[in-house]
Amino acid sequence: MISIKSKSALLIDDDRNTLTVLQSELLKLGYIVTAVNHPARVNETLERMDQIDVIFLDLEMPVTNGFEILKQLREMDIDAPIIAHTVHIDYLNQMRREGFNGLIAKPLDLNTLSENLNRIIDGESVWQTV
C-alpha cells in the first residue's frame, strides 16, 4: 500500500479571522494546519511539529513583527518556504530583500490560492498583490 503524506502548513497571524479563513481554505486543499495567533507561541509550536512544508507569516503583530520572526525562523534553519501574508504590500521590496519566498496578500484570493501556493512550494517566487 502506498502512503501519501499530507502537507503541513504553519500559520502565524494575530488576527483570528484571517487564521480562520486561511486555515479553512488550506484544509480544503488537504493541508494539515497549525495556527499560531501570537508570536510568543511560535517556538513552542515549532518544537511540537514534525513537518513543516510552508509557513504563512503576517508582518504586523503585537510584540514583534513578521520580519523579526522571519529572521528567527531562518536562524533556526527552517527550510520551508515562508510566505508573507499581509495587507502591507508597500513593503514588497523589503519582503524580497529580507528573504520571504513570496507574498500572498490579504484579503485572500481564493481563486488563485492553490496555484500560487503550489508554485511557491515548487521553488518559484510569487508576489501576488491583488
Side-chain angles (χ1 to χ4, degrees), residues 36-63:
V36 177
N37 67 352
H38 195 284
R41 297 191 182 104
V42 171
N43 287 340
E44 69 186 51
T45 302
L46 288 170
E47 290 173 7
R48 292 192 315 261
M49 294 183 73
D50 294 330
Q51 171 187 334
I52 305 171
D53 295 298
V54 66
I55 298 171
F56 284 82
L57 178 57
D58 187 21
L59 294 185
E60 189 175 287
M61 293 180 282
V63 182

Side-chain angles (χ1 to χ4, degrees), residues 7-11 26 31-32 34 49 51-57 78-83 101 104 117 120-121:
K7 289 194 184 301
S8 177
L10 173 61
L11 317 180
L26 291 172
Y31 280 78
I32 297 168
T34 302
M49 294 183 73
Q51 171 187 334
I52 305 171
D53 295 298
V54 66
I55 298 171
F56 284 82
L57 178 57
I78 302 291
D79 62 352
I82 301 174
I83 300 169
N101 297 94
I104 295 180
L117 182 53
I120 292 170
I121 288 175

Side-chain angles (χ1 to χ4, degrees), residues 11 16-31 33 35 108 110 113:
L11 317 180
R16 290 186 188 274
N17 290 332
T18 296
L19 287 174
T20 299
V21 170
L22 185 54
Q23 183 171 9
S24 173
E25 292 306 310
L26 291 172
L27 287 170
K28 290 177 190 174
L29 295 175
Y31 280 78
V33 180
L108 192 60
L110 302 179
L113 175 62

Side-chain angles (χ1 to χ4, degrees), residues 39-109:
R41 297 191 182 104
V42 171
N43 287 340
E44 69 186 51
T45 302
L46 288 170
E47 290 173 7
R48 292 192 315 261
M49 294 183 73
D50 294 330
Q51 171 187 334
I52 305 171
D53 295 298
V54 66
I55 298 171
F56 284 82
L57 178 57
D58 187 21
L59 294 185
E60 189 175 287
M61 293 180 282
V63 182
T64 189
N65 65 51
F67 293 110
E68 292 169 358
I69 294 173
L70 173 70
K71 183 179 178 188
Q72 292 170 2
L73 293 170
R74 295 299 187 207
E75 288 172 354
M76 298 169 68
D77 291 326
I78 302 291
D79 62 352
I82 301 174
I83 300 169
H85 186 56
T86 183
V87 298
H88 299 287
I89 62 172
D90 47 324
Y91 292 113
L92 183 62
N93 289 330
Q94 183 178 359
M95 288 179 231
R96 288 179 169 153
R97 275 194 317 271
E98 299 283 334
F100 278 94
N101 297 94
L103 164 67
I104 295 180
K106 296 177 185 176
L108 192 60
D109 181 345

